[in-house]
Amino acid sequence: MITISLTKKNMLLGACGLFILAVVGIGLFFLYLNFAFPVKHATGTHLAVPDQYTDCVTCHTKVSAQVTQDWREAKHGVTLVKCVVCHGEPDGKGSIPFMATPDPKLICSRCHDPAVVRMEAKYGNSADCYSCHAYHQNPVHSNAYETRVPTTQTTLDQPGQGF
Amino acid sequence: MSTTPRQIRITLLGVGILLVAGIVATAAFFSFSSTTSFCTSCHEMNVHKEELAQSPHAKDYDESAIDCADCHLPRGLGPRYLSVKTYLGVKDVFVHFTESPDSIDRRHSQPVARRFVDDASCQACHDDLYKDAKKEKDISEIGKLAHDNYNGKDGKSYRLCVDCHTNMAHLPSFDRRLDINQEFAAKLVAAEQLVAAEEQGGAQ
């Protein structure tokens, strides 16, 4: 025969148990959601079309329309700096590694080395170049709109660093 | 105060009845709140409704209207459906009461919406990936290559259908400039002009 006495202590224990169950339940829910609908998908492998490896735009104007059009409208597109110059070729040949997000230390400085050195001397090391240089005058494709940091600064001057 | 086995049995029966009633009520609420008329009863969904009406996805192959849930909720009643329904439902209610329709940033909602459009929902209609939407003509050579890649025959893509096929039913203003969306954008602009002309006519 089971008897449960409804003392204050038992009720408190029950409430604690329910709370822990709820927290664990919500945790498991999000664990499942991220497993079933991942935010970031696994990196795939590019299809093989050897004669079209340097003609990225033909397909990518359809399968990544925004990125391709951003490139075409930006300085790099206007001056016809082709995809492979920064992203490498899908077959992995050539000196540029094939990657969706080129490493600025490796790629940007190939052409913009003097500017990178100057910027680093003035402002120190930055994790990447895109977060600023996509937004203002040189919208190389990137999600600058999403990564931008609002500022209250109204002048270019930085305290302690003369222009 | 202590409980006897009889009281425990009555309590268990009560909990059981409540549980069954809860499941029935939840099922009814889930099905009611997944209808297009329920989705578009909130002001912030108007724009999505109007875009859908002008899009190629307004009607399906049999000329019947395509509902929001056909794309935005996984098919069946499994854990995929339940988790997305719960997550998006709670999120939508939260956003509805905490933000104004003008402050909703569609650049941020786009990736969220795409994340939960299941490939199975697309393939419920588009079952042959090598035929066009009407299942008559073959798709382009580039399309075949891309779908080979998706199927793992030539390389392997882990992207979802909607990661390549963007702006299928909705077209925010910032995506109207894309070359690939020109036809859809023109239809939307024409529809908007029609509405504006009617409003002006009504005002006079």
Side-chain angles (χ1 to χ4, degrees):
Chain A
M1 188 172 141
I2 315 158
T3 54
I4 304 166
S5 50
L6 288 176
T7 58
K8 248 187 180 173
K9 196 186 157 198
N10 276 354
M11 282 166 88
L12 199 69
L13 271 174
C16 282
L18 276 180
F19 178 74
I20 291 169
L21 261 179
V23 169
V24 169
I26 291 171
L28 283 175
F29 174 81
F30 278 101
L31 213 63
Y32 173 75
L33 199 70
N34 279 324
F35 164 75
F37 300 90
V39 177
K40 217 171 152 62
H41 293 275
T43 311
T45 43
H46 199 274
L47 50 81
V49 270
D51 54 332
Q52 287 176 28
Y53 269 160
T54 49
D55 180 22
C56 314
V57 168
T58 311
C59 291
H60 280 276
T61 208
K62 293 188 175 179
V63 300
S64 51
Q66 193 192 326
V67 168
T68 313
Q69 191 148 340
D70 280 351
W71 166 80
R72 201 161 56 233
E73 291 168 0
K75 268 190 184 174
H76 283 153
V78 171
T79 53
L80 216 64
V81 178
K82 295 179 103 182
C83 311
V84 293
V85 175
C86 304
H87 293 284
E89 286 187 47
D91 59 0
K93 290 177 184 161
S95 58
I96 311 289
F98 180 57
M99 48 192 166
T101 315
D103 177 9
K105 288 274 171 296
L106 200 68
I107 302 300
C108 302
S109 52
R110 284 172 73 94
C111 298
H112 301 285
D113 192 45
V116 172
V117 170
R118 257 200 327 273
M119 290 301 277
E120 279 187 352
K122 265 187 180 168
Y123 303 112
N125 251 328
S126 173
D128 61 59
C129 305
Y130 321 118
S131 50
C132 299
H133 287 287
Y135 189 57
H136 292 295
Q137 79 281 26
N138 189 15
V140 194
H141 53 75
S142 83
N143 296 330
Y145 176 87
E146 283 166 21
T147 55
R148 77 200 194 283
V149 183
T151 175
T152 51
Q153 202 174 313
T154 51
T155 62
L156 280 172
D157 298 325
Q158 297 238 329
Q161 283 166 331
F163 260 83
Chain B
M1 198 174 132
S2 70
T3 51
T4 62
R6 185 184 150 76
Q7 276 172 316
I8 289 179
R9 246 178 283 150
I10 290 169
T11 315
L12 281 178
L13 192 73
V15 168
I17 290 169
L18 270 179
L19 211 67
V20 171
I23 289 171
V24 170
T26 309
F29 177 69
F30 271 19
S31 108
F32 161 71
S33 65
S34 296
T35 57
T36 298
S37 54
F38 180 83
C39 299
T40 54
S41 64
C42 281
H43 175 71
E44 51 266 53
M45 290 297 170
N46 274 351
V47 60
H48 301 98
K49 179 186 167 190
E50 280 155 18
E51 285 169 4
L52 178 67
Q54 301 303 322
S55 85
H57 279 88
K59 283 178 180 162
D60 70 6
Y61 191 61
D62 306 320
E63 293 293 307
S64 51
I66 298 177
D67 290 321
C68 310
D70 289 341
C71 304
H72 289 283
L73 287 176
R75 298 175 76 74
L77 293 170
R80 289 178 79 81
Y81 168 82
L82 290 175
S83 59
V84 171
K85 177 74 189 162
T86 309
Y87 178 75
L88 290 183
V90 172
K91 188 260 301 168
D92 283 351
V93 169
F94 183 77
V95 170
H96 179 76
F97 287 109
T98 55
E99 287 187 43
S100 79
D102 299 333
S103 73
I104 292 172
D105 188 342
R106 293 187 68 184
R107 281 184 206 258
H108 288 290
S109 49
Q110 250 183 355
V112 179
R114 281 179 191 151
R115 179 181 167 194
F116 296 112
V117 176
D118 228 354
D119 282 5
S121 306
C122 306
Q123 288 172 16
C125 297
H126 304 278
D127 49 354
D128 189 346
L129 294 190
Y130 296 92
K131 292 270 186 224
D132 70 353
K134 289 183 176 154
K135 301 172 191 174
E136 287 159 5
K137 280 183 283 180
D138 286 357
I139 55 168
S140 66
E141 286 305 310
I142 286 175
K144 282 177 191 163
L145 276 172
H147 285 173
D148 273 346
N149 186 245
Y150 173 80
N151 284 331
K153 285 182 202 158
D154 180 2
K156 178 72 185 124
S157 151
Y158 292 97
R159 297 172 82 182
L160 303 174
C161 299
V162 290
D163 285 338
C164 289
H165 300 276
T166 56
N167 305 118
M168 284 294 104
H170 306 288
L171 190 63
S173 53
F174 53 82
D175 276 344
R176 289 190 189 181
R177 72 187 175 90
L178 300 183
D179 290 342
I180 203 160
N181 292 334
Q182 285 315 300
E183 207 180 314
F184 190 177
K187 276 171 109 182
L188 270 177
V189 170
E192 278 164 14
Q193 280 170 349
L194 206 68
V195 170
E198 271 172 17
E199 274 174 9
Q200 222 172 25
Q204 275 168 3

